[in-house]
Amino acid sequence: MDKGSFDDAGQKNTEVIPLTSQALLVDLDGYEGPLDVLLVLARDQKVDLLKISILQLAEQYLAFIEQARALRLEVAADYLVMAAWLAYLKSRLLLPAEEDDGPSGEELADRLAFLLKKLEAMREAAEKLMNGTVVGRDRLQRGRPEAIRITRHSKYECTLRELLQAYAAQKERKGIINPLRLMRDAVFSVEAALDRLEKMLGTLPEWTDLMAYLPENISDPFSRRSAQASTLLASLQMAKEGQLELRQGATFGPIQVKKRKSGQ
Amino acid sequence: MSLDPEHVRMAEALLFASKEPLDEAVLAERLPEGADIPAILSTIEEQYRHKGVNLARLAGKWTFLTAPDLSWLLEEERETTRRLSRAALETLAIIAYHQPATRAEIEEIRGVGLSRGTMDVLFDAGWIRPRGRRRTPGRPVTYGVTEDFLIHFGLDDIKDLPGFDEMKAAGLLSTEPTGIFNDLAQTEEDALEDEEEKEF
Amino acid sequence: MSLDPEHVRMAEALLFASKEPLDEAVLAERLPEGADIPAILSTIEEQYRHKGVNLARLAGKWTFLTAPDLSWLLEEERETTRRLSRAALETLAIIAYHQPATRAEIEEIRGVGLSRGTMDVLFDAGWIRPRGRRRTPGRPVTYGVTEDFLIHFGLDDIKDLPGFDEMKAAGLLSTEPTGIFNDLAQTEEDALEDEEEKEF
């Protein structure tokens, strides 16, 4: 096997001395599973894998496992499963088939040989692939590509409906719009109170509770207090200007207001 | 002196694969000894003179370049249709309804900071434009929508935006800064538009 | 039909400028209408056949590459390619030759379980991709190689893999389980390739 294609871990098993010398260096870590061991052992027979002696291979493998165990090396379960299966195969091959249950020993041996052949073919293919023409290693692409310059014009798509929904959704997400905005709505300005009082004064000729001049429909207590304060300030301003008269019967009693008649 | 055609091939491959233009010294170093670099280069230059790719000399170094008359081939104009992100959509809606609006106002309404990219997208789409500056501390830039915006959305006037009047009447479209006292002190919001200075 | 030499120049410029291989559709799109792309390409291929740079077809696309025999010259320009572990390399070969292949099939051929990292390395390199699912119990994902794989290994098509035809003829590329170790109860695997569902 060509060492060049593989990394260090992969190269380990190339150092394994084949079993013929009976000095099999057991290094299980160097193998990629039992099939890999079988392939290494099979190569020792130096024949086409399809013509290999599976019986001999099974014996070699079993000897390999025995040796590994004698050296107290940890043998993974799948190696042992393979050993058991090969022992079974060996018995099938040696003993004449008595009943027709399942594939014969020869059939199983052929299948194993085929599997090894497949693995070997893939090993060789991988090697050829790496030793073949690799772009970037053996054949180079343009070193200074003049990339196609793309001038991108973006066109945005958006419908009015989307725009409105975005706006509405945004509002909704924020819940009560702008709390500060609410405060402003809640405040009844002195200017507004003046305006209202000037327009309404006179529609009620006699002494009237100032609170009757408050705007209708103010339920919010804060707004109501704001309107009361503003209206009182407005009435004081108008009294100062001589437009109306104010009176209060008792401390904290109702404040009454009346339009001042001209000449009074 | 005859020129080795193999040397020409080598120089060709080197010039093609190199990430940088190569000068004659580098070529001489990489090619077999005795290669006649100037002759090789002028041969290549001549061979490629009428091709789609020419040998060009840049700052005393040599490289292959697309023929100048074909550079248009490498330009590509592409129009892509994109959808606006939610942030962009909301920002656009806010500007449309509240214009002129400053960045801070948009952020206040959305309740999140405005990333630079969001405004860029809207500028890119040609839908918003700077309109002027607020006469408030910091003189922030105000934004409004463009004629293209109106055309795109089929509006004759910004006032045609559905629900504009109703929403405004409901107080949903004001752009008051925060703070109740500022709020009370500020009077004629309506006149703001007139107060903005034209600068753009 | 005579070939417009301007069209050849344009194709030359495009193919030279791009690092990525271009397919005929892209060339047709950029060249004037009616340009005979196959004729143009074979003209260029012929013109560059003996140059230091050749026109090559990879994964059905066209690109200029340095001539294969000049590989030794380009040591310095060479990109450092990652070294794959033996497991990754074998897995890649198995996927390339057997695609679409499931994880179980890869494991059967190699005789060992596939570690997660092995597939990750191949995905990272951009050489394999999920292709679909087998219509067998468990609906396992099948994998295949990518266009980048073909380009990297200088192949135009999966059939150009070394020894592909011979292996196929020898039946070495069937993904039928041998069923010798685990007495797999799987039966109907023959029509597997056709039954794959496209999902990715």
Side-chain angles (χ1 to χ4, degrees), chain A residues 65-79:
Chain A
I65 293 298
E66 211 153 295
Q67 197 174 348
R69 299 181 85 177
L71 292 170
R72 295 179 187 280
L73 288 168
E74 201 176 310
V75 180
D78 46 349
Y79 285 84

Side-chain angles (χ1 to χ4, degrees), chain B residues 4 17 27 35 40 48 52-53 57 74 86 88 98 101 125 129 134 148 150 153 169 197:
Chain B
D4 186 341
L27 283 169
I40 291 168
Y48 283 83
V53 171
R57 196 183 149 106
L74 304 182
R86 190 171 87 176
H98 298 258
R129 64 185 174 94
R134 265 293 143 69
D148 276 358
L150 296 177
F153 292 100
E197 293 168 45

Side-chain angles (χ1 to χ4, degrees), chain A residues 2 4-6 125-141, chain B residues 17 19 30, chain C residues 19 58 65-84 89 127 151-154:
Chain A
D2 182 293
S5 312
F6 298 123
E127 211 172 313
K128 279 185 193 150
L129 213 50
M130 283 320 281
N131 294 338
T133 305
V134 175
V135 174
R137 188 188 70 191
D138 306 309
R139 297 191 72 181
L140 302 189
Q141 291 172 304
Chain B
K19 289 185 173 56
R30 313 274 302 260
Chain C
K19 182 163 185 165
L58 299 178
L65 291 179
T66 55
D69 63 308
L70 295 177
S71 166
W72 59 273
L73 183 70
L74 303 164
E75 199 75 45
E76 280 179 37
E77 278 74 25
R78 205 161 284 172
E79 291 161 25
T80 47
T81 45
R82 78 174 72 211
R83 292 182 74 79
L84 291 181
L89 201 52
W127 288 339
I151 292 169
H152 183 83
F153 289 99

Side-chain angles (χ1 to χ4, degrees), chain B residues 19-30:
Chain B
K19 289 185 173 56
E20 304 292 333
L22 298 177
D23 62 23
E24 300 185 16
V26 170
L27 283 169
E29 203 175 282
R30 313 274 302 260

Side-chain angles (χ1 to χ4, degrees), chain C residues 101-123:
Chain C
T102 65
R103 173 177 277 266
E105 289 157 6
I106 297 163
E107 289 177 342
E108 201 199 36
I109 293 170
R110 297 197 59 235
V112 283
L114 197 52
S115 75
R116 175 118 213 120
T118 304
M119 294 293 267
D120 286 349
V121 163
L122 297 176
F123 271 118

Side-chain angles (χ1 to χ4, degrees), chain A:
Chain A
M1 169 149 295
D2 182 293
K3 283 187 177 189
S5 312
F6 298 123
D7 64 357
D8 292 337
Q11 281 174 26
K12 270 191 187 170
N13 75 336
T14 62
E15 291 151 20
V16 174
I17 297 151
L19 199 65
T20 34
S21 61
Q22 287 302 317
L24 176 67
L25 174 70
V26 177
D27 177 7
L28 284 167
D29 286 342
Y31 293 102
E32 295 233 358
L35 214 53
D36 190 24
V37 172
L38 276 174
L39 189 57
V40 171
L41 295 173
R43 286 219 179 91
D44 205 38
Q45 294 188 21
K46 294 187 172 70
V47 290
D48 186 316
L49 290 177
L50 296 178
K51 294 180 184 116
I52 202 167
S53 161
I54 292 290
L55 195 58
Q56 194 188 327
L57 186 63
E59 276 163 0
Q60 283 180 315
Y61 183 85
L62 293 171
F64 165 84
I65 293 298
E66 211 153 295
Q67 197 174 348
R69 299 181 85 177
L71 292 170
R72 295 179 187 280
L73 288 168
E74 201 176 310
V75 180
D78 46 349
Y79 285 84
L80 298 177
V81 170
M82 177 65 92
W85 188 84
L86 285 173
Y88 161 76
L89 177 61
K90 204 174 121 183
S91 70
R92 291 287 300 249
L93 286 169
L94 293 173
L95 301 171
E98 285 170 2
E99 317 130 36
D100 274 17
D101 59 64
S104 69
E106 279 75 20
E107 268 171 7
L108 288 174
D110 284 351
R111 289 193 201 172
L112 177 60
F114 190 67
L115 206 56
L116 288 170
K117 180 88 179 166
K118 257 181 116 162
L119 179 60
E120 189 188 45
M122 284 301 109
R123 292 250 160 108
E124 283 170 5
E127 211 172 313
K128 279 185 193 150
L129 213 50
M130 283 320 281
N131 294 338
T133 305
V134 175
V135 174
R137 188 188 70 191
D138 306 309
R139 297 191 72 181
L140 302 189
Q141 291 172 304
R142 181 85 189 269
R144 290 177 71 229
E146 301 163 67
I148 287 170
R149 294 176 289 276
I150 294 170
T151 326
R152 217 179 264 282
H153 302 283
S154 292
K155 188 170 157 267
Y156 291 94
E157 228 174 33
C158 175
T159 64
L160 192 55
R161 193 160 159 268
E162 283 177 301
L163 188 70
L164 296 174
Q165 277 174 344
Y167 193 70
Q170 191 275 130
K171 289 276 175 210
E172 209 163 297
R173 231 184 17 259
K174 263 191 103 181
I176 296 168
I177 312 82
N178 182 346
L180 298 162
R181 179 69 240 148
L182 258 179
M183 297 298 272
R184 189 194 184 231
D185 271 345
V187 173
F188 189 63
S189 70
V190 177
E191 290 80 10
L194 262 173
D195 205 35
R196 186 175 171 86
L197 207 53
E198 275 174 350
K199 279 183 192 152
M200 290 182 70
L201 205 65
T203 56
L204 303 168
E206 290 310 310
W207 287 104
T208 314
D209 192 330
L210 183 65
M211 294 305 118
Y213 291 94
L214 293 192
E216 296 95 19
N217 307 325
I218 299 181
S219 49
D220 169 41
F222 175 86
S223 301
R224 189 164 183 85
R225 287 220 310 280
S226 160
Q228 283 170 345
S230 299
T231 305
L232 177 63
L233 282 170
S235 68
L236 290 171
Q237 175 69 21
M238 285 174 73
K240 193 176 159 194
E241 288 170 3
Q243 294 187 59
L244 56 72
E245 288 174 63
L246 285 167
R247 73 177 191 197
Q248 185 175 30
T251 313
F252 301 121
I255 297 165
Q256 291 182 311
V257 61
K258 190 178 92 166
K259 185 176 172 146
R260 186 168 187 172
K261 289 182 183 101
S262 48
Q264 259 184 314

Side-chain angles (χ1 to χ4, degrees), chain B residues 104-118:
Chain B
E105 288 160 3
I106 296 163
E107 288 177 342
E108 203 200 22
I109 293 170
R110 291 197 61 228
V112 286
L114 196 52
S115 75
R116 172 116 218 121
T118 305

